[in-house]
Amino acid sequence: MSGPPPPGRQLSPQQMAAMQQQVAMEAQKRGMTPQQFQQWQRQQIEAEAKKQGLSFEQYVMQLKQQAYEQHQRQQQMAAQQQAAQQSGQPLTQGQGAQGGQQVPINPGAPNPKAVEVAKWLRGQDLKTRTCILNGQRKDMFRVKRALRALQSPAYAKASAKKNSLLPAVTDAASAAETFKLLPLSLLSLRVSKSDPHEGHNHAPPAKKQKRIKGLWTVKIEQQQDISEDLHYVWLYEGPQWKQKLYALGALILIMAVVMFPLWPIKLRIGVWYLSMGVLGLIGLFFAMSIFRLILFGVTYFAVPPGLWLYPNLFEDVGFFDSFRPIWGWQEDKKKGKKSKSGTFNAKDGGKSSRKDGKGKSESKASSTATTSTSAESLKNRDLKPRIEEVEDD
C-alpha cells in the first residue's frame, strides 16, 4: 500500500508517476489542462496559507505532515483489524462504527452534547451504587438503565425543546450512539470489579477484613464497550456550586474567628459563656463515663454479670439511641452460645430416645428436662433486659 512519504524524504519514481496520473485525472474532471489545474491548486493553497498566517512552503510542509500521520494511522488500524480477524476475536460494540476500527479516546475539552447528555442522565434514577475507584467513592450504574432512560418519553421531550443540545434518539442504535459520547468525552467510563490487592507482592492479610456489603472496588477497562450488562462509573460530578458554597462558608468562618478581637463586647461575652457551657457538658460526659465504669466494676462482683449505665453509650448508633436504654445487664456471648447448644442437645436427646424406643420413662424425662430448661431460659430472658448490638451490613 503506497502512501505519502514522510516530510523531508524524496519521492520514488513510482510515486511521482502515480501523482502525475492523479493530477491529470483531476484536471480532466474540471475541464483544465494539468498546468492550469496546478496553477489553480497553487492559488488555493496560497489563499489558505495566508488565512493561517503561514508562508506557502510552511503550509505545504504542514499538509505533508498531516497526510503522512493520517497514512500511518490507517496502516496501524488496518494491522490491528487484520490481527483481530486472524485471532478470531469479534470486534466489540465499543469499537468504532467505521469499518470496525477502534475510536481513540483523547483527553481534552468535552463535547457540549456529551455534557448535556451527562447532565440529563445524572438527574435520572439510574439506581446508582457506590464503588471505590482509585481510593475515591464514585457512583456506578448499569448501561441498560441509561439506554432505557435515553429511549424514554422524558428524553424525547427534553431533546425536542428549542435550542436543546441533546441528540435525537429514535431507536436502540441511536441511543447507543448517544451513550458513546460519554466515554469519548471522559465523562463516564466502563469499569469492572477488581481485587484491591491485585498486583501487590505481599501475602493476604492474616485476619480477613470486614467488607462493606455492596461496595465494589473497581478498575477502568481499556475497551470501552457498550452492552446492557456492563457497568459504568460517573466521572462527571455536575455543577460544583455546593462545594463552592461550602468553601465560601468555611472561609467566612475562619475570617470571623481570626477577627474575634474586633467583635463587639456583648458577642465576646456570649461566646465565652457558650464555650464554658460546652466545656461543662464535656466534663459531665467524662464524669458519667467514669461513674458507669465504677458501677459496672462493683456490680460485676456483687450482682454478676454486671450492670451498665447507658449500655449503648459507645456503640455505633445514633445520638439519641446512645442513651437508650438507661441501664442493662452485661451479656456473656460464650455462655449464651453454650446454653443454646445445651438446649439443642437436650432436644436431640429426647428425639433419639423416642426413635430408639428404650422406654417411655426416658423419653418423658428428656422431654420434661427440655421443657423446664426452655421455660427457665424464657423466664430469665423476660426478667433481664436485653442489649442489642448494632452491626454494620
Side-chain angles (χ1 to χ4, degrees):
M1 180 179 178
S2 62
R9 188 175 298 180
Q10 296 294 331
L11 295 174
S12 63
Q14 293 83 3
Q15 291 176 339
M16 289 288 294
M19 290 182 64
Q20 289 177 359
Q21 185 179 1
Q22 187 177 2
V23 169
M25 291 175 59
E26 293 293 333
Q28 188 176 2
K29 288 180 182 179
R30 290 172 172 79
M32 302 179 183
T33 62
Q35 291 77 13
Q36 292 175 347
F37 177 73
Q38 290 179 357
Q39 185 65 24
W40 173 80
Q41 196 173 26
R42 183 182 178 87
Q43 292 175 358
Q44 295 291 328
I45 294 174
E46 288 178 350
E48 292 293 331
K50 189 176 181 180
K51 288 181 181 179
Q52 298 187 13
L54 301 174
S55 63
F56 178 78
E57 291 77 11
Q58 291 176 345
Y59 187 70
V60 170
M61 289 298 296
Q62 183 179 352
L63 291 178
K64 287 183 179 180
Q65 181 70 26
Q66 292 176 357
Y68 177 71
E69 291 177 355
Q70 184 179 3
H71 175 66
Q72 291 294 106
R73 285 196 297 267
Q74 289 177 355
Q75 283 186 337
Q76 291 177 1
M77 289 180 180
Q80 291 176 359
Q81 184 179 1
Q82 186 177 2
Q85 291 176 355
Q86 289 177 357
S87 60
Q89 295 178 353
L91 295 176
T92 56
Q93 207 173 25
Q95 297 172 346
Q98 299 176 356
Q101 299 171 354
Q102 297 181 358
V103 177
I105 300 177
N106 298 319
N111 188 348
K113 293 183 178 180
V115 175
E116 289 298 321
V117 173
K119 285 182 181 178
W120 190 87
L121 286 177
R122 287 290 274 175
Q124 304 302 309
D125 184 16
L126 301 182
K127 296 184 178 180
T128 58
R129 56 189 298 184
T130 305
C131 64
I132 302 296
L133 176 64
N134 297 330
Q136 297 180 352
R137 290 176 179 260
K138 298 290 184 180
D139 292 332
M140 182 176 63
F141 63 95
R142 296 184 70 177
V143 175
K144 68 176 183 179
R145 304 194 190 282
L147 295 179
R148 289 176 186 172
L150 291 175
Q151 299 179 67
S152 63
Y155 181 83
K157 184 178 180 181
S159 61
K161 291 182 179 179
K162 188 178 180 181
N163 299 328
S164 176
L165 295 178
L166 293 174
V169 173
T170 56
D171 52 7
S174 57
E177 290 296 327
T178 302
F179 185 81
K180 284 181 184 178
L181 297 174
L182 300 180
L184 288 176
S185 297
L186 298 178
L187 300 177
S188 180
L189 293 177
R190 179 198 163 199
V191 294
S192 62
K193 192 175 182 180
S194 66
D195 183 7
H197 300 285
E198 183 180 0
H200 297 176
N201 296 325
H202 59 75
K207 186 178 180 182
K208 187 176 181 182
Q209 296 180 353
K210 191 173 182 181
R211 186 181 67 85
I212 302 176
K213 185 178 179 182
L215 191 62
W216 285 10
T217 301
V218 298
K219 62 179 180 180
I220 297 176
E221 289 292 329
Q222 185 177 4
Q223 296 293 338
Q224 296 296 309
D225 305 333
I226 296 178
S227 180
E228 291 188 350
D229 295 331
L230 298 180
H231 291 85
Y232 271 67
V233 69
W234 280 115
L235 301 180
Y236 175 72
E237 300 294 341
Q240 303 294 323
W241 62 270
K242 285 186 178 180
Q243 287 77 0
K244 295 178 181 178
L245 188 62
Y246 292 154
L248 181 61
L251 181 61
I252 293 174
L253 182 62
I254 292 172
M255 292 296 297
V257 173
V258 170
M259 299 177 67
F260 178 76
L262 301 179
W263 288 17
I265 187 65
K266 291 183 178 180
L267 284 179
R268 281 185 283 174
I269 293 175
V271 170
W272 184 84
Y273 280 115
L274 183 62
S275 61
M276 290 299 105
V278 171
L279 288 176
L281 290 176
I282 295 174
L284 183 63
F285 177 79
F286 280 106
M288 182 180 62
S289 302
I290 296 172
F291 174 75
R292 69 190 290 271
L293 182 61
I294 296 173
L295 178 64
F296 173 74
V298 172
T299 56
Y300 182 77
F301 297 100
V303 190
L307 181 69
W308 279 110
L309 182 66
Y310 298 118
N312 290 332
L313 186 62
F314 296 105
E315 297 294 332
D316 188 12
V317 293
F319 176 78
F320 295 102
D321 292 334
S322 299
F323 299 95
R324 290 196 295 253
I326 298 177
W327 64 276
W329 294 99
Q330 170 70 14
E331 282 192 355
D332 192 350
K333 295 183 179 180
K334 295 183 179 179
K335 289 184 179 180
K337 291 181 180 178
K338 288 182 180 179
S339 63
K340 290 180 181 178
S341 61
T343 305
F344 293 147
N345 291 334
K347 289 182 180 180
D348 294 340
K351 291 181 181 178
S352 61
S353 62
R354 292 190 192 97
K355 290 182 179 178
D356 295 337
K358 289 185 178 180
K360 295 182 179 179
S361 60
E362 294 180 359
S363 62
K364 288 181 180 179
S366 60
S367 61
T368 305
T370 306
T371 306
S372 61
T373 304
S374 60
E376 290 178 359
S377 62
L378 288 173
K379 185 182 289 184
N380 295 333
R381 195 177 298 174
D382 294 336
L383 290 176
K384 296 179 181 180
R386 298 177 61 191
I387 302 172
E388 296 184 357
E389 295 183 356
V390 180
E391 296 182 357
D392 294 335
D393 293 335

Short mmCIF file of all heavy atoms in Angstrom, two decimals, residues 90-97 100-107 133-134 140-141 143 147 176-192 218-235:
data_model
loop_
_atom_site.label_atom_id
_atom_site.label_comp_id
_atom_site.label_asym_id
_atom_site.label_seq_id
_atom_site.Cartn_x
_atom_site.Cartn_y
_atom_site.Cartn_z
N PRO A 90 -14.08 -11.37 17.85
CA PRO A 90 -15.02 -10.46 17.21
C PRO A 90 -14.83 -9.03 17.71
O PRO A 90 -14.48 -8.80 18.87
CB PRO A 90 -16.39 -11.01 17.65
CG PRO A 90 -16.10 -11.71 18.94
CD PRO A 90 -14.72 -12.26 18.82
N LEU A 91 -15.06 -8.09 16.86
CA LEU A 91 -14.97 -6.69 17.23
C LEU A 91 -16.17 -6.33 18.09
O LEU A 91 -17.30 -6.68 17.76
CB LEU A 91 -14.93 -5.80 15.98
CG LEU A 91 -13.68 -5.98 15.11
CD1 LEU A 91 -13.80 -5.15 13.87
CD2 LEU A 91 -12.42 -5.66 15.88
N THR A 92 -15.91 -5.64 19.19
CA THR A 92 -16.97 -5.35 20.14
C THR A 92 -17.70 -4.08 19.76
O THR A 92 -17.28 -3.31 18.90
CB THR A 92 -16.37 -5.20 21.55
OG1 THR A 92 -15.36 -4.19 21.49
CG2 THR A 92 -15.76 -6.50 22.01
N GLN A 93 -18.77 -3.83 20.50
CA GLN A 93 -19.60 -2.68 20.19
C GLN A 93 -18.94 -1.38 20.58
O GLN A 93 -19.27 -0.33 20.05
CB GLN A 93 -20.94 -2.82 20.93
CG GLN A 93 -22.08 -2.11 20.25
CD GLN A 93 -23.37 -2.42 20.94
OE1 GLN A 93 -23.42 -2.76 22.10
NE2 GLN A 93 -24.46 -2.34 20.22
N GLY A 94 -17.99 -1.45 21.50
CA GLY A 94 -17.32 -0.24 21.93
C GLY A 94 -16.32 0.26 20.92
O GLY A 94 -15.80 1.34 21.05
N GLN A 95 -16.01 -0.55 19.89
CA GLN A 95 -15.09 -0.11 18.87
C GLN A 95 -15.83 0.73 17.85
O GLN A 95 -17.06 0.74 17.78
CB GLN A 95 -14.42 -1.31 18.21
CG GLN A 95 -13.58 -2.10 19.21
CD GLN A 95 -13.08 -3.40 18.63
OE1 GLN A 95 -13.58 -3.81 17.60
NE2 GLN A 95 -12.13 -4.02 19.29
N GLY A 96 -15.08 1.42 17.03
CA GLY A 96 -15.67 2.42 16.14
C GLY A 96 -16.64 1.84 15.16
O GLY A 96 -16.57 0.69 14.77
N ALA A 97 -17.57 2.66 14.72
CA ALA A 97 -18.56 2.21 13.78
C ALA A 97 -18.06 2.23 12.37
O ALA A 97 -18.64 1.63 11.48
CB ALA A 97 -19.81 3.11 13.90
N GLY A 100 -15.27 -1.08 11.74
CA GLY A 100 -14.84 -1.89 12.87
C GLY A 100 -13.56 -1.41 13.50
O GLY A 100 -12.91 -2.16 14.21
N GLN A 101 -13.13 -0.19 13.24
CA GLN A 101 -11.88 0.33 13.78
C GLN A 101 -12.15 0.93 15.15
O GLN A 101 -13.24 1.41 15.44
CB GLN A 101 -11.30 1.38 12.85
CG GLN A 101 -10.96 0.84 11.47
CD GLN A 101 -10.60 1.95 10.51
OE1 GLN A 101 -10.71 3.12 10.85
NE2 GLN A 101 -10.18 1.59 9.33
N GLN A 102 -11.12 0.88 16.00
CA GLN A 102 -11.23 1.44 17.33
C GLN A 102 -11.18 2.96 17.28
O GLN A 102 -10.45 3.54 16.49
CB GLN A 102 -10.11 0.91 18.22
CG GLN A 102 -10.16 -0.60 18.41
CD GLN A 102 -9.06 -1.06 19.32
OE1 GLN A 102 -8.25 -0.27 19.76
NE2 GLN A 102 -9.03 -2.35 19.60
N VAL A 103 -11.98 3.55 18.15
CA VAL A 103 -12.02 5.01 18.24
C VAL A 103 -11.18 5.42 19.44
O VAL A 103 -11.51 5.07 20.57
CB VAL A 103 -13.47 5.52 18.40
CG1 VAL A 103 -13.49 7.03 18.56
CG2 VAL A 103 -14.31 5.09 17.22
N PRO A 104 -10.07 6.12 19.26
CA PRO A 104 -9.24 6.51 20.41
C PRO A 104 -9.93 7.58 21.24
O PRO A 104 -10.63 8.44 20.72
CB PRO A 104 -7.96 7.04 19.77
CG PRO A 104 -8.39 7.50 18.41
CD PRO A 104 -9.50 6.58 17.98
N ILE A 105 -9.74 7.50 22.55
CA ILE A 105 -10.30 8.48 23.48
C ILE A 105 -9.18 9.41 23.89
O ILE A 105 -8.24 9.01 24.59
CB ILE A 105 -10.92 7.78 24.71
CG1 ILE A 105 -12.05 6.84 24.26
CG2 ILE A 105 -11.44 8.81 25.69
CD1 ILE A 105 -12.65 6.06 25.40
N ASN A 106 -9.25 10.63 23.45
CA ASN A 106 -8.19 11.61 23.72
C ASN A 106 -8.69 12.62 24.75
O ASN A 106 -9.81 13.13 24.65
CB ASN A 106 -7.79 12.35 22.44
CG ASN A 106 -7.24 11.39 21.39
OD1 ASN A 106 -6.49 10.48 21.72
ND2 ASN A 106 -7.62 11.60 20.14
N PRO A 107 -7.89 12.91 25.78
CA PRO A 107 -8.31 13.92 26.76
C PRO A 107 -8.36 15.30 26.13
O PRO A 107 -7.57 15.63 25.26
CB PRO A 107 -7.22 13.83 27.85
CG PRO A 107 -6.03 13.26 27.14
CD PRO A 107 -6.57 12.34 26.08
N LEU A 133 -13.04 3.71 43.33
CA LEU A 133 -12.19 3.81 42.14
C LEU A 133 -10.98 4.67 42.50
O LEU A 133 -11.13 5.86 42.80
CB LEU A 133 -12.96 4.43 40.97
CG LEU A 133 -12.17 4.68 39.69
CD1 LEU A 133 -11.68 3.36 39.10
CD2 LEU A 133 -13.00 5.44 38.67
N ASN A 134 -9.80 4.06 42.49
CA ASN A 134 -8.55 4.76 42.83
C ASN A 134 -8.63 5.41 44.21
O ASN A 134 -8.17 6.53 44.42
CB ASN A 134 -8.22 5.83 41.77
CG ASN A 134 -7.98 5.22 40.41
OD1 ASN A 134 -7.51 4.09 40.29
ND2 ASN A 134 -8.30 5.96 39.36
N MET A 140 -21.75 4.31 40.43
CA MET A 140 -21.69 3.34 39.34
C MET A 140 -23.12 2.95 38.93
O MET A 140 -24.02 2.89 39.76
CB MET A 140 -20.91 2.09 39.82
CG MET A 140 -20.74 1.01 38.77
SD MET A 140 -19.72 -0.36 39.41
CE MET A 140 -20.76 -0.94 40.75
N PHE A 141 -23.31 2.71 37.65
CA PHE A 141 -24.62 2.34 37.13
C PHE A 141 -24.46 1.34 36.00
O PHE A 141 -23.36 1.16 35.45
CB PHE A 141 -25.39 3.58 36.62
CG PHE A 141 -24.72 4.28 35.47
CD1 PHE A 141 -25.09 3.99 34.16
CD2 PHE A 141 -23.73 5.22 35.68
CE1 PHE A 141 -24.47 4.63 33.09
CE2 PHE A 141 -23.11 5.85 34.62
CZ PHE A 141 -23.49 5.56 33.33
N VAL A 143 -25.41 -0.08 32.16
CA VAL A 143 -25.65 0.56 30.86
C VAL A 143 -27.11 0.45 30.46
O VAL A 143 -27.68 1.37 29.87
CB VAL A 143 -24.73 -0.07 29.80
CG1 VAL A 143 -25.03 0.50 28.41
CG2 VAL A 143 -23.27 0.17 30.14
N LEU A 147 -29.58 3.33 28.81
CA LEU A 147 -30.19 3.20 27.49
C LEU A 147 -31.72 3.31 27.57
O LEU A 147 -32.35 3.90 26.70
CB LEU A 147 -29.79 1.86 26.87
CG LEU A 147 -28.30 1.70 26.54
CD1 LEU A 147 -28.03 0.32 25.95
CD2 LEU A 147 -27.82 2.78 25.58
N ALA A 176 -27.51 3.99 21.67
CA ALA A 176 -26.13 3.56 21.91
C ALA A 176 -25.13 4.59 21.39
O ALA A 176 -24.11 4.85 22.04
CB ALA A 176 -25.89 2.20 21.26
N GLU A 177 -25.41 5.18 20.23
CA GLU A 177 -24.51 6.20 19.70
C GLU A 177 -24.48 7.44 20.60
O GLU A 177 -23.43 8.06 20.78
CB GLU A 177 -24.96 6.60 18.28
CG GLU A 177 -24.74 5.53 17.24
CD GLU A 177 -23.27 5.22 17.03
OE1 GLU A 177 -22.45 6.14 17.16
OE2 GLU A 177 -22.94 4.05 16.75
N THR A 178 -25.63 7.79 21.15
CA THR A 178 -25.66 8.92 22.08
C THR A 178 -24.90 8.60 23.35
O THR A 178 -24.18 9.45 23.89
CB THR A 178 -27.12 9.27 22.41
OG1 THR A 178 -27.83 9.58 21.20
CG2 THR A 178 -27.19 10.47 23.34
N PHE A 179 -25.02 7.37 23.84
CA PHE A 179 -24.31 6.99 25.06
C PHE A 179 -22.80 6.97 24.84
O PHE A 179 -22.03 7.20 25.78
CB PHE A 179 -24.80 5.62 25.53
CG PHE A 179 -24.21 5.19 26.85
CD1 PHE A 179 -24.72 5.65 28.04
CD2 PHE A 179 -23.11 4.34 26.89
CE1 PHE A 179 -24.18 5.27 29.26
CE2 PHE A 179 -22.56 3.96 28.10
CZ PHE A 179 -23.10 4.42 29.29
N LYS A 180 -22.36 6.69 23.60
CA LYS A 180 -20.92 6.66 23.31
C LYS A 180 -20.26 8.03 23.52
O LYS A 180 -19.04 8.10 23.69
CB LYS A 180 -20.69 6.23 21.85
CG LYS A 180 -20.87 4.74 21.61
CD LYS A 180 -20.61 4.41 20.16
CE LYS A 180 -20.87 2.94 19.87
NZ LYS A 180 -20.66 2.60 18.45
N LEU A 181 -21.06 9.10 23.50
CA LEU A 181 -20.49 10.42 23.72
C LEU A 181 -19.87 10.55 25.11
O LEU A 181 -18.93 11.33 25.31
CB LEU A 181 -21.57 11.50 23.53
CG LEU A 181 -22.18 11.61 22.13
CD1 LEU A 181 -23.33 12.62 22.14
CD2 LEU A 181 -21.13 12.03 21.11
N LEU A 182 -20.38 9.80 26.08
CA LEU A 182 -19.88 9.92 27.45
C LEU A 182 -18.45 9.42 27.59
O LEU A 182 -17.59 10.16 28.08
CB LEU A 182 -20.82 9.18 28.41
CG LEU A 182 -22.27 9.68 28.44
CD1 LEU A 182 -23.09 8.86 29.43
CD2 LEU A 182 -22.32 11.15 28.83
N PRO A 183 -18.13 8.17 27.16
CA PRO A 183 -16.72 7.76 27.28
C PRO A 183 -15.78 8.52 26.36
O PRO A 183 -14.61 8.73 26.70
CB PRO A 183 -16.76 6.26 26.93
CG PRO A 183 -18.01 6.07 26.15
CD PRO A 183 -18.98 7.07 26.71
N LEU A 184 -16.26 8.96 25.19
CA LEU A 184 -15.39 9.71 24.29
C LEU A 184 -14.99 11.06 24.88
O LEU A 184 -13.93 11.59 24.54
CB LEU A 184 -16.10 9.92 22.94
CG LEU A 184 -16.24 8.67 22.06
CD1 LEU A 184 -17.05 8.98 20.81
CD2 LEU A 184 -14.88 8.12 21.68
N SER A 185 -15.83 11.61 25.76
CA SER A 185 -15.51 12.89 26.41
C SER A 185 -15.03 12.69 27.85
O SER A 185 -14.93 13.67 28.60
CB SER A 185 -16.75 13.80 26.40
OG SER A 185 -17.11 14.13 25.08
N LEU A 186 -14.77 11.43 28.24
CA LEU A 186 -14.26 11.10 29.58
C LEU A 186 -15.20 11.59 30.68
O LEU A 186 -14.77 12.00 31.76
CB LEU A 186 -12.86 11.71 29.79
CG LEU A 186 -11.76 11.21 28.86
CD1 LEU A 186 -10.45 11.92 29.14
CD2 LEU A 186 -11.58 9.71 28.99
N LEU A 187 -16.50 11.53 30.42
CA LEU A 187 -17.49 11.87 31.42
C LEU A 187 -17.97 10.65 32.18
O LEU A 187 -18.42 10.76 33.33
CB LEU A 187 -18.69 12.57 30.77
CG LEU A 187 -18.37 13.87 30.03
CD1 LEU A 187 -19.61 14.42 29.36
CD2 LEU A 187 -17.77 14.90 30.97
N SER A 188 -17.88 9.49 31.57
CA SER A 188 -18.24 8.22 32.20
C SER A 188 -17.46 7.12 31.51
O SER A 188 -17.36 7.11 30.28
CB SER A 188 -19.75 7.97 32.09
OG SER A 188 -20.09 6.74 32.70
N LEU A 189 -16.89 6.20 32.29
CA LEU A 189 -16.05 5.15 31.74
C LEU A 189 -16.48 3.79 32.25
O LEU A 189 -17.02 3.67 33.36
CB LEU A 189 -14.58 5.39 32.10
CG LEU A 189 -13.91 6.62 31.47
CD1 LEU A 189 -12.49 6.76 31.99
CD2 LEU A 189 -13.92 6.54 29.95
N ARG A 190 -16.21 2.78 31.43
CA ARG A 190 -16.57 1.41 31.80
C ARG A 190 -15.59 0.89 32.84
O ARG A 190 -14.38 1.09 32.74
CB ARG A 190 -16.53 0.51 30.56
CG ARG A 190 -16.87 -0.95 30.87
CD ARG A 190 -16.42 -1.85 29.76
NE ARG A 190 -16.37 -3.23 30.21
CZ ARG A 190 -15.69 -4.19 29.62
NH1 ARG A 190 -15.00 -3.92 28.54
NH2 ARG A 190 -15.70 -5.41 30.10
N VAL A 191 -16.12 0.20 33.86
CA VAL A 191 -15.31 -0.35 34.93
C VAL A 191 -15.72 -1.81 35.15
O VAL A 191 -16.77 -2.27 34.69
CB VAL A 191 -15.48 0.44 36.24
CG1 VAL A 191 -14.94 1.85 36.10
CG2 VAL A 191 -16.94 0.48 36.68
N SER A 192 -14.88 -2.53 35.86
CA SER A 192 -15.15 -3.90 36.25
C SER A 192 -14.63 -4.12 37.65
O SER A 192 -13.74 -3.41 38.12
CB SER A 192 -14.50 -4.89 35.27
OG SER A 192 -13.09 -4.74 35.28
N VAL A 218 -13.33 -1.14 41.97
CA VAL A 218 -13.40 -1.30 40.52
C VAL A 218 -12.15 -0.71 39.88
O VAL A 218 -11.40 0.05 40.50
CB VAL A 218 -14.66 -0.62 39.94
CG1 VAL A 218 -15.92 -1.26 40.49
CG2 VAL A 218 -14.66 0.87 40.24
N LYS A 219 -11.95 -1.08 38.63
CA LYS A 219 -10.87 -0.55 37.82
C LYS A 219 -11.42 -0.20 36.44
O LYS A 219 -12.40 -0.79 35.98
CB LYS A 219 -9.73 -1.56 37.68
CG LYS A 219 -10.14 -2.84 36.97
CD LYS A 219 -8.97 -3.80 36.85
CE LYS A 219 -9.41 -5.09 36.13
NZ LYS A 219 -8.30 -6.05 36.00
N ILE A 220 -10.79 0.74 35.77
CA ILE A 220 -11.24 1.18 34.44
C ILE A 220 -10.74 0.19 33.40
O ILE A 220 -9.58 -0.21 33.40
CB ILE A 220 -10.72 2.59 34.14
CG1 ILE A 220 -11.30 3.59 35.14
CG2 ILE A 220 -11.06 3.01 32.72
CD1 ILE A 220 -10.79 5.00 34.98
N GLU A 221 -11.64 -0.22 32.52
CA GLU A 221 -11.30 -1.15 31.44
C GLU A 221 -10.75 -0.39 30.24
O GLU A 221 -11.17 0.74 29.96
CB GLU A 221 -12.54 -1.96 31.03
CG GLU A 221 -12.99 -2.98 32.05
CD GLU A 221 -11.98 -4.11 32.19
OE1 GLU A 221 -11.31 -4.44 31.18
OE2 GLU A 221 -11.86 -4.66 33.30
N GLN A 222 -9.83 -1.04 29.53
CA GLN A 222 -9.24 -0.40 28.36
C GLN A 222 -10.23 -0.32 27.21
O GLN A 222 -10.29 0.68 26.50
CB GLN A 222 -7.98 -1.17 27.93
CG GLN A 222 -7.22 -0.51 26.79
CD GLN A 222 -5.96 -1.26 26.44
OE1 GLN A 222 -5.70 -2.32 27.00
NE2 GLN A 222 -5.18 -0.73 25.52
N GLN A 223 -11.01 -1.39 27.02
CA GLN A 223 -12.02 -1.40 25.95
C GLN A 223 -13.33 -0.84 26.50
O GLN A 223 -13.95 -1.43 27.38
CB GLN A 223 -12.23 -2.84 25.44
CG GLN A 223 -11.01 -3.45 24.79
CD GLN A 223 -10.64 -2.77 23.48
OE1 GLN A 223 -11.48 -2.13 22.85
NE2 GLN A 223 -9.39 -2.89 23.08
N GLN A 224 -13.75 0.29 25.98
CA GLN A 224 -14.98 0.93 26.42
C GLN A 224 -16.15 0.42 25.59
O GLN A 224 -16.69 1.11 24.73
CB GLN A 224 -14.84 2.45 26.32
CG GLN A 224 -13.80 3.04 27.25
CD GLN A 224 -14.14 2.82 28.71
OE1 GLN A 224 -15.25 3.13 29.15
NE2 GLN A 224 -13.20 2.29 29.47
N ASP A 225 -16.51 -0.85 25.85
CA ASP A 225 -17.62 -1.46 25.13
C ASP A 225 -18.96 -0.95 25.66
O ASP A 225 -19.03 -0.38 26.76
CB ASP A 225 -17.57 -2.98 25.26
CG ASP A 225 -16.22 -3.53 24.80
OD1 ASP A 225 -15.60 -2.88 23.95
OD2 ASP A 225 -15.80 -4.60 25.29
N ILE A 226 -20.00 -1.18 24.89
CA ILE A 226 -21.35 -0.80 25.29
C ILE A 226 -22.24 -2.03 25.21
O ILE A 226 -22.51 -2.54 24.11
CB ILE A 226 -21.91 0.33 24.40
CG1 ILE A 226 -21.06 1.60 24.57
CG2 ILE A 226 -23.36 0.63 24.76
CD1 ILE A 226 -21.51 2.75 23.72
N SER A 227 -22.62 -2.53 26.36
CA SER A 227 -23.51 -3.67 26.46
C SER A 227 -24.40 -3.47 27.68
O SER A 227 -24.00 -2.80 28.65
CB SER A 227 -22.72 -4.98 26.58
OG SER A 227 -23.60 -6.08 26.69
N GLU A 228 -25.59 -4.03 27.67
CA GLU A 228 -26.56 -3.75 28.72
C GLU A 228 -26.09 -4.21 30.09
O GLU A 228 -26.44 -3.62 31.11
CB GLU A 228 -27.90 -4.41 28.38
CG GLU A 228 -28.62 -3.76 27.20
CD GLU A 228 -30.02 -4.31 27.02
OE1 GLU A 228 -30.33 -5.31 27.70
OE2 GLU A 228 -30.78 -3.75 26.23
N ASP A 229 -25.30 -5.29 30.15
CA ASP A 229 -24.90 -5.85 31.44
C ASP A 229 -23.61 -5.24 31.99
O ASP A 229 -23.16 -5.64 33.07
CB ASP A 229 -24.72 -7.37 31.31
CG ASP A 229 -26.03 -8.07 31.00
OD1 ASP A 229 -27.08 -7.53 31.41
OD2 ASP A 229 -26.02 -9.12 30.33
N LEU A 230 -23.00 -4.31 31.28
CA LEU A 230 -21.76 -3.71 31.74
C LEU A 230 -22.03 -2.56 32.71
O LEU A 230 -23.13 -2.02 32.76
CB LEU A 230 -20.94 -3.20 30.54
CG LEU A 230 -20.50 -4.27 29.54
CD1 LEU A 230 -19.71 -3.63 28.41
CD2 LEU A 230 -19.67 -5.36 30.22
N HIS A 231 -21.00 -2.22 33.48
CA HIS A 231 -21.11 -1.15 34.47
C HIS A 231 -20.23 0.03 34.05
O HIS A 231 -19.11 -0.17 33.56
CB HIS A 231 -20.69 -1.64 35.86
CG HIS A 231 -21.63 -2.62 36.46
ND1 HIS A 231 -21.56 -3.98 36.19
CD2 HIS A 231 -22.68 -2.46 37.30
CE1 HIS A 231 -22.52 -4.60 36.85
NE2 HIS A 231 -23.20 -3.72 37.53
N TYR A 232 -20.74 1.21 34.27
CA TYR A 232 -20.00 2.45 34.01
C TYR A 232 -19.99 3.27 35.31
O TYR A 232 -20.89 3.15 36.15
CB TYR A 232 -20.65 3.26 32.89
CG TYR A 232 -20.15 2.91 31.51
CD1 TYR A 232 -20.39 1.68 30.95
CD2 TYR A 232 -19.41 3.82 30.77
CE1 TYR A 232 -19.92 1.35 29.68
CE2 TYR A 232 -18.94 3.52 29.51
CZ TYR A 232 -19.20 2.28 28.97
OH TYR A 232 -18.72 1.98 27.72
N VAL A 233 -18.96 4.07 35.44
CA VAL A 233 -18.82 4.92 36.62
C VAL A 233 -18.83 6.38 36.17
O VAL A 233 -18.31 6.72 35.10
CB VAL A 233 -17.52 4.58 37.38
CG1 VAL A 233 -16.30 5.00 36.59
CG2 VAL A 233 -17.49 5.25 38.75
N TRP A 234 -19.45 7.23 36.98
CA TRP A 234 -19.55 8.64 36.65
C TRP A 234 -18.26 9.37 37.03
O TRP A 234 -17.84 9.32 38.18
CB TRP A 234 -20.72 9.29 37.39
CG TRP A 234 -22.07 9.07 36.79
CD1 TRP A 234 -23.11 8.40 37.34
CD2 TRP A 234 -22.53 9.55 35.52
NE1 TRP A 234 -24.19 8.40 36.49
CE2 TRP A 234 -23.86 9.10 35.37
CE3 TRP A 234 -21.95 10.29 34.50
CZ2 TRP A 234 -24.61 9.39 34.25
CZ3 TRP A 234 -22.71 10.57 33.37
CH2 TRP A 234 -24.02 10.13 33.25
N LEU A 235 -17.64 10.01 36.06
CA LEU A 235 -16.54 10.93 36.33
C LEU A 235 -17.00 12.38 36.29
O LEU A 235 -16.29 13.27 36.73
CB LEU A 235 -15.41 10.73 35.30
CG LEU A 235 -14.80 9.31 35.25
CD1 LEU A 235 -13.70 9.27 34.20
CD2 LEU A 235 -14.28 8.88 36.60
#
